[in-house]
Amino acid sequence: MPRIKVGDEVVVLSGKDKGKVGKVIEKIPREGKVVVEGVNITKRHIRARRRGQESGIVERETPIPACKVMLVCPRCGKRTRVGVKISVIDQGEKEKLRICKKCGEVID
Ligand SMILES: [Zn+2]
């Protein structure tokens, strides 16, 4: 069960972007990293290789360790740890849901 999913709103816990809130736009599970909108922006200089190609500076988010972000609960708006709740759908089929540890509401 992933603690953080793409589309989640998270807050940055440390580093130069500490306190920033943004949406997770990419996950890199292999590296345990996430890319958060507007967080850890680096500037890259692009040099034109062909005529007509534009050169300039491109700003891009770079991945940060997933352990450095915390979910912002869409229900209560607080930063929270994620709990897991098993809900039983019909036919005894089970589904894992994420819950907010602060307000107890199901996130999804
Ligand atoms: Zn909550």
Side-chain angles (χ1 to χ4, degrees), residues 18-86:
K18 188 178 175 181
K20 262 195 193 173
V21 175
K23 223 171 223 158
V24 176
I25 49 179
E26 204 187 326
K27 274 189 76 174
I28 307 151
R30 198 163 31 90
E31 296 174 31
K33 287 178 174 176
V34 290
V35 180
V36 183
E37 203 174 52
V39 170
N40 206 24
I41 299 278
T42 51
K43 288 178 180 169
R44 283 181 53 197
H45 295 260
I46 306 290
R47 212 186 321 163
R49 291 203 180 85
R50 281 178 282 129
R51 212 191 310 190
Q53 206 174 24
E54 263 181 78
S55 63
I57 296 165
V58 173
E59 293 193 345
R60 249 203 91 178
E61 286 95 350
T62 46
I64 56 169
C67 60
K68 286 196 172 164
V69 301
M70 202 172 200
L71 186 75
V72 176
C73 173
R75 308 275 175 247
C76 64
K78 289 177 185 152
R79 56 176 74 176
T80 182
R81 283 192 295 130
V82 178
V84 173
K85 184 180 150 181
I86 312 280

Side-chain angles (χ1 to χ4, degrees), residues 3-11 21-23 70-83 98-108:
R3 195 173 60 93
I4 302 280
K5 288 181 178 177
V6 170
D8 280 348
E9 197 144 274
V10 294
V11 60
V21 175
K23 223 171 223 158
M70 202 172 200
L71 186 75
V72 176
C73 173
R75 308 275 175 247
C76 64
K78 289 177 185 152
R79 56 176 74 176
T80 182
R81 283 192 295 130
V82 178
R98 296 187 302 167
I99 59 163
C100 169
K101 291 251 191 185
K102 286 269 164 67
C103 66
E105 291 282 333
V106 173
I107 297 160
D108 54 27

Side-chain angles (χ1 to χ4, degrees), residues 86-95:
I86 312 280
S87 80
V88 180
I89 332 168
D90 50 63
Q91 316 285 319
E93 217 177 290
K94 286 175 192 147
E95 186 185 32

